[in-house]
């Protein structure tokens, strides 16, 4: 396991490399490598050039050497994948008849769903290096706890699952998992410092600095949605007023549209929709047809988001900012005003140096790919 974990991070290695890094003798590492060769877990890449003396053989992992499980537990479904060393999806499954709740019954549903998925995946469980589970809400991967769900348990969520499955389990926040999924499988290119912004029911960011996720002291860094942008502004679920997510989330733009309809006399199809039936996609559809209320709602939302991102850039100086989540699907309706107001409010030294981009991972696989990649990283420590 130590040899596999080392190669997963360091790449191809010689026997001397392995012996030095893992603090084991050459005869022992030779014996272990021979066993791994016989099991087709590693492959002999041939001899490498050296400055003198005998040329050593170099060894590397095969794609089928190790696997990782990534699980996304969202409010209304569970998505499960098995990935290989290259983060390719080998098996996948989706449980749609699910509702996340802070109960023992819900936890049992989650655990049994994962258990059944692993049992039916057909992979050799001895090659499964770990399980990454991402969830909504405040999560601290160091403690293995969710601070929103299953908080009544004495054991941490990761401890409960590790005992149940017999594998290492990493619990992670869904936005940070998506951020890491974007980093390892998206379109980040050579960027090592990125911000990943999730515009869903709430607003949160994942921060990658020098290729590593940033957690902060508490483990909760990234609560971008609860930055105050308007003193005595809209009431937020956190108990305060004027939080960013009350303006730029899917629910925030809905509130903006209704406020605009009360202030503006312009005709709008949105006036015919009851508040309970209203959602962000309807505002987007109306804006595409030139509806003045809908267009102004997006302009205002982009202004609030752009101003806030200008401050984030001043503090973190990222190379790129990626937008994900329901509101980002509006495309240029949200990207264009956000980009304009971000540049307009940017400190001069940062102007035109930060890319604002859509997610490079299409569909809903970013979080689970990130979760599996994070357990890969954790297992190799």
């Amino acid at each position: 396991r130590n040899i596999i974990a080392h190669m997963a991070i360091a790449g191809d290695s010689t026997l001397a490399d392995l012996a030095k890094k893992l603090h084991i003798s050459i005869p022992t590492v030779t014996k272990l490598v021979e066993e791994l060769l016989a099991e087709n877990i590693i492959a002999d890449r041939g001899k490498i050039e050296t400055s003198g003396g005998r040329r050593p053989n170099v060894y590397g992992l095969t794609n089928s050497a190790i696997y990782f499980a990534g699980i996304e537990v969202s409010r209304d479904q569970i998505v499960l994948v098995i990935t290989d060393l290259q983060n390719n999806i080998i098996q996948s499954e989706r449980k749609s008849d699910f509702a996340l709740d802070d109960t023992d019954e819900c936890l049992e549903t989650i655990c049994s769903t994962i258990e059944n998925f692993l049992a039916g995946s057909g992979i050799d469980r001895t090659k499964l290096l770990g399980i990454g589970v991402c969830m909504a809400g405040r999560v601290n991967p160091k403690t293995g706890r969710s601070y929103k769900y299953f908080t009544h348990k004495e054991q941490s969520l990761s401890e409960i699952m590790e005992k149940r499955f017999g594998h290492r389990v990493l619990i992670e926040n869904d936005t940070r998992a998506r951020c890491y999924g974007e980093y390892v499988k998206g379109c980040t290119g050579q960027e090592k410092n990125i911000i990943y912004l999730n515009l869903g029911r709430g607003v949160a960011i994942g921060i990658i600095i020098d290729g590593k996720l940033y957690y902060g002291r508490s483990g909760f860094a990234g609560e971008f949605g609860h930055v105050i942008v308007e003193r005595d502004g809209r009431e937020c679920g956190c108990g305060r007023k004027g939080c960013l997510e009350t303006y730029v989330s899917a629910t925030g733009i809905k509130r903006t549209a209704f406020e605009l309809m009360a202030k503006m006399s312009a005709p709008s199809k949105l006036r015919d929709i009851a508040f309970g039936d209203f959602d962000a996609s309807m505002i987007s559809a109306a804006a595409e047809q030139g509806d003045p209320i809908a267009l102004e709602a997006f302009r205002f939302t982009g202004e609030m988001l752009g101003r806030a991102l200008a401050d984030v850039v001043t503090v973190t100086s990222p190379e790129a900012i990626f937008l994900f989540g329901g509101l980002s699907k509006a495309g240029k309706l949200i990207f264009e005003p956000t980009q304009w107001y971000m540049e307009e409010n940017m400190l001069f030294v940062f102007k035109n140096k930060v890319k604002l981009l859509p997610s490079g991972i299409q569909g809903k696989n970013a979080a689970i790919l990130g979760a599996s990649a994070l357990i890969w990283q954790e297992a190799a420590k």
Side-chain angles (χ1 to χ4, degrees):
R1 182 176 289 266
N2 287 340
I3 290 173
I4 291 169
H6 173 75
M7 286 185 169
I9 291 294
D12 294 354
S13 305
T14 65
L15 296 177
D17 293 333
L18 294 170
K20 181 179 180 180
K21 294 292 185 181
L22 303 177
H23 306 289
I24 52 180
S25 68
I26 290 288
T28 300
V29 79
T30 301
K31 178 177 179 295
L32 293 172
V33 165
E34 287 175 351
E35 292 176 2
L36 293 170
L37 283 167
E39 294 179 38
N40 198 35
I41 293 175
I42 66 173
D44 187 340
R45 310 288 195 212
K47 297 186 180 298
I48 59 172
E49 295 295 333
T50 61
S51 57
R54 295 179 60 185
R55 293 189 301 157
N57 285 52
V58 65
Y59 302 91
L61 294 171
T62 62
N63 263 9
S64 60
I66 48 177
Y67 298 98
F68 310 91
I71 317 294
E72 181 181 13
V73 181
S74 60
R75 291 181 177 87
D76 55 6
Q77 65 177 353
I78 304 174
V79 182
L80 314 94
V81 301
I82 300 289
T83 62
D84 64 14
L85 185 61
Q86 303 301 322
N87 226 12
N88 299 309
I89 296 177
I90 305 302
Q91 294 283 347
S92 65
E93 189 175 300
R94 188 182 304 271
K95 180 178 175 61
S96 300
D97 56 333
F98 172 78
L100 182 57
D101 196 11
D102 188 18
T103 63
D104 289 337
E105 292 76 16
C106 182
L107 179 56
E108 174 56 32
T109 297
I110 293 169
C111 289
S112 61
T113 299
I114 296 172
E115 208 165 41
N116 293 336
F117 172 66
L118 295 177
S121 66
I123 67 162
D124 182 349
R125 290 283 289 272
T126 64
K127 294 183 179 181
L128 184 67
L129 213 57
I131 303 169
V133 180
C134 61
M135 302 179 65
R138 290 186 176 92
V139 172
N140 189 331
K142 291 184 179 179
T143 63
R145 290 185 178 277
S146 164
Y147 291 86
K148 184 173 183 179
Y149 299 101
F150 318 120
T151 56
H152 59 287
K153 294 290 187 180
E154 183 176 341
Q155 288 182 303
S156 70
L157 196 53
S158 61
E159 289 172 335
I160 293 170
M161 290 185 170
E162 284 176 353
K163 184 177 180 181
R164 178 85 173 248
F165 307 136
H167 294 283
R168 182 181 298 192
V169 175
L170 175 73
I171 307 295
E172 183 54 281
N173 166 264
D174 58 345
T175 295
R176 282 197 298 259
R178 284 190 176 102
C179 178
Y180 202 69
E182 185 71 54
Y183 178 68
V184 299
K185 201 70 174 178
C187 58
T188 55
Q190 299 301 311
E191 291 97 348
K192 297 291 185 183
N193 300 281
I194 64 172
I195 299 291
Y196 183 92
L197 178 57
N198 188 7
L199 297 172
R201 298 177 187 177
V203 177
I205 59 174
I207 306 168
I208 287 184
I209 300 175
D210 291 333
K212 295 181 180 179
L213 277 172
Y214 177 73
Y215 293 93
R217 180 181 179 182
S218 66
F220 302 140
E223 291 290 342
F224 185 48
H226 296 290
V227 172
I228 301 294
V229 293
E230 286 288 329
R231 177 177 288 187
D232 297 324
R234 296 174 180 173
E235 290 187 358
C236 181
C238 73
R240 302 184 302 164
K241 291 183 177 180
C243 289
L244 180 66
E245 74 173 35
T246 65
Y247 295 92
V248 305
S249 62
T251 52
I253 196 171
K254 174 180 175 179
R255 293 169 74 171
T256 296
F258 269 82
E259 288 179 4
L260 289 171
M261 283 189 280
K263 294 177 182 177
M264 297 172 61
S265 59
S268 173
K269 293 181 179 179
L270 300 178
R271 297 183 188 278
D272 301 327
I273 305 172
F275 187 84
D277 298 330
F278 216 83
D279 63 31
S281 65
M282 295 177 181
I283 304 173
S284 179
E288 291 285 358
Q289 296 174 9
D291 187 291
I293 298 290
L295 287 170
E296 176 59 17
F298 272 104
R299 187 211 61 78
F300 176 78
T301 302
E303 178 182 1
M304 298 296 283
L305 180 56
R307 283 164 41 190
L309 286 178
D311 291 338
V312 169
V313 169
T314 301
V315 174
T316 62
S317 185
E319 296 162 88
I321 299 173
F322 290 87
L323 302 189
F324 189 87
L327 200 55
S328 72
K329 295 177 182 177
K332 66 180 182 180
L333 289 170
I334 188 66
F335 275 86
E336 288 183 357
T338 300
Q339 180 82 57
W340 194 90
Y341 283 104
M342 183 175 76
E343 295 294 342
E344 181 71 10
N345 291 276
M346 196 93 78
L347 194 64
F348 181 77
V349 70
F350 297 113
K351 281 185 179 292
N352 301 311
K353 293 181 180 177
V354 181
K355 292 176 281 188
L356 187 67
L357 302 167
S359 169
I361 302 179
Q362 300 301 318
K364 298 183 178 181
N365 286 332
I368 44 180
L369 285 172
S372 65
L374 283 165
I375 191 63
W376 174 89
Q377 175 181 275
E378 180 69 19
K381 286 183 179 178

